[in-house]
Amino acid sequence: MSNERRLEIVRALSNNVVLTIDVVTNTETILMGKGIGFGAKPGATIQADDSRIEKRFSLQDKQHLTQYQTLLEQIDPEVIMVSEEIISMVSEQLTPDLNEHIHLALPSHIEFTLYRLRNQIAIENPFLLEIRTLNPDEFKVAIQAAKLIERTFNVEVPEEETGFLTIHIQSAVAHVPVGNVVQFSHLLKDLVAHIESRRGTEIPKDSVDYVRLITHLRFAIERIRKGEHSRNPFRDKMKDMVPYEFGVAKECGDLMAERLGVDVSEDEVAYIAMHLYRLFSKDID
C-alpha cells in the first residue's frame, strides 16, 4: 500500500465512524460508513478508497474535533449519518465553503427536534415567513432535509422546523453563528412591525412590496453589522423633502443600533428613508 493511499486509524468513534490521520499530510480526517469502525484498532491502516467509506471530512479546529468526538458518544449514530448527508446536500447544491461548526450544531438540533416530535411538543417558528422569503435556496435544501428526516425516523416534520433547518444551513453558508441568524430574524420582524405601525396599515406578506422591504432591511443589517459605509448624496435632501419617512427611518436606525451594538450613519438612514418613501406613497389595499 503506498503512502499516498494510506490512512492510519487514530480511534474508532463508533461502529460507523473512525478518526484517521493521513500519514503524508499529517491531517486528521473523519471517515463515515456502515461498519467501518467495527473492530478497528488504533494504528491499523485503511485504504483511502475503501468501498465502505461513504463520507469523509476534516475539522480544522481542534476544539471542534474534540467536541465532535464527544457528540458521537451522546447522539444516535443514525442522527449523525443523516446530519452528514444533509451537510453534503448543502455542500453540493449551495457551496462547499461551509462553517465547520455545522457538523456539531446540526446533529444536536435534529436530536432535540426528534425528541419534541416524538413527545408531541409543538414547534413554533415566529420567523418562518421571513426565513422562507429571504433564503429561498437554503429553504429548498431544508425541504429536502426535512423529507430525509421524515423517511429515516418515521416522523412528520412541520414547515416550522423546515424554517429552523434553514437557519442552520444559512448559518453554515454565511459563516454566521446560528444565534446571530436568529437575532437578525428577530430584528427584521420587529423593524417591519414598527414600520407598519408608523404607516398605519399592515403590508400584505405575499406582496412584492413586502419582499422588497425585508430584502432592503436585511442588506442594511448586513452592511451595518460589517461596518460598511457608503455616502448617500441625497441624505440632506431626504431630510427636507420627506421628513416623516426620514423620522421613521431614523427610528429604525436607532433600533438596529441598539440590537447590533453599532452606530448607524445618517447615510444609511437616508437609504432606508428612500425606500420608505416609495412604500408609504403607494396605496396598498
Side-chain angles (χ1 to χ4, degrees):
M1 184 182 346
S2 67
N3 282 346
E4 289 76 15
R5 307 291 301 169
R6 186 160 59 90
L7 299 173
E8 183 176 304
I9 296 173
V10 177
R11 62 174 291 206
L13 302 177
S14 74
N15 283 340
N16 302 314
V17 185
V18 292
L19 173 63
T20 67
I21 187 166
D22 189 305
V23 297
V24 175
T25 64
N26 200 39
T27 57
E28 293 179 319
T29 302
I30 293 171
L31 306 179
M32 308 183 76
K34 189 172 183 179
I36 198 169
F38 182 76
K41 302 295 184 182
T45 58
I46 187 171
Q47 287 279 81
D49 60 355
D50 190 298
S51 61
R52 294 173 297 172
I53 300 174
E54 299 174 10
K55 167 79 175 178
R56 69 184 76 207
F57 64 92
S58 300
L59 292 175
Q60 303 303 320
D61 187 304
K62 293 295 183 183
Q63 183 178 1
H64 285 172
L65 180 59
T66 300
Q67 291 173 342
Y68 191 79
Q69 294 180 48
T70 301
L71 191 73
L72 287 169
E73 298 172 358
Q74 300 173 344
I75 288 185
D76 179 353
E78 201 161 23
V79 170
I80 298 292
M81 295 297 287
V82 165
S83 298
E84 292 303 329
E85 190 168 342
I86 292 170
I87 293 169
S88 293
M89 291 179 191
V90 178
S91 179
E92 292 168 5
Q93 298 183 37
L94 298 179
T95 174
D97 180 24
L98 300 175
N99 186 331
E100 66 178 29
H101 191 262
I102 191 174
H103 294 284
L104 303 170
L106 186 59
S108 296
H109 173 77
I110 292 175
E111 180 91 340
F112 183 57
T113 295
L114 289 172
Y115 171 81
R116 297 183 70 174
L117 293 175
R118 287 164 175 165
N119 289 276
Q120 299 182 328
I121 301 173
I123 297 177
E124 298 179 356
N125 189 335
F127 316 117
L128 178 59
L129 182 59
E130 291 79 10
I131 292 168
R132 184 173 55 202
T133 303
L134 290 173
N135 308 285
D137 294 335
E138 290 83 354
F139 194 81
K140 287 179 182 177
V141 179
I143 291 174
Q144 298 172 45
K147 290 179 179 177
L148 175 60
I149 293 170
E150 288 181 334
R151 292 195 304 270
T152 305
F153 300 104
N154 194 29
V155 295
E156 184 175 343
V157 177
E159 192 175 34
E160 287 78 7
E161 169 56 23
T162 302
F164 285 122
L165 290 170
T166 303
I167 287 178
H168 279 272
I169 293 171
Q170 172 63 17
S171 169
V173 169
H175 290 261
V176 175
V178 171
N180 285 19
V181 177
V182 174
Q183 177 195 15
F184 301 155
S185 298
H186 201 298
L187 173 56
L188 187 62
K189 194 173 186 70
D190 287 348
L191 286 169
V192 172
H194 181 74
I195 290 168
E196 289 178 328
S197 173
R198 299 291 272 150
R199 184 172 180 270
T201 183
E202 289 189 4
I203 304 167
K205 300 305 182 286
D206 59 351
S207 68
V208 173
D209 295 289
Y210 176 76
V211 174
R212 287 175 177 168
L213 175 62
I214 63 174
T215 301
H216 178 86
L217 291 174
R218 185 237 187 112
F219 285 115
I221 290 171
E222 281 298 306
R223 287 193 300 271
I224 293 165
R225 181 182 69 84
K226 294 178 180 177
E228 297 176 354
H229 178 80
S230 59
R231 182 176 175 276
N232 189 329
F234 304 106
R235 182 189 63 191
D236 295 333
K237 289 184 179 180
M238 294 298 295
K239 286 184 182 180
D240 296 331
M241 294 174 58
V242 289
Y244 183 75
E245 288 83 354
F246 194 91
V248 176
K250 180 64 169 62
E251 293 165 0
C252 290
D254 291 342
L255 181 58
M256 287 190 280
E258 177 186 347
R259 298 283 185 85
L260 300 175
V262 294
D263 293 331
V264 178
S265 69
E266 279 202 337
D267 291 286
E268 190 65 58
V269 168
Y271 281 119
I272 297 173
M274 292 170 69
H275 190 88
L276 294 183
Y277 172 71
R278 289 192 293 268
L279 178 65
F280 283 22
S281 64
K282 296 187 67 173
D283 182 20
I284 304 177
D285 295 327

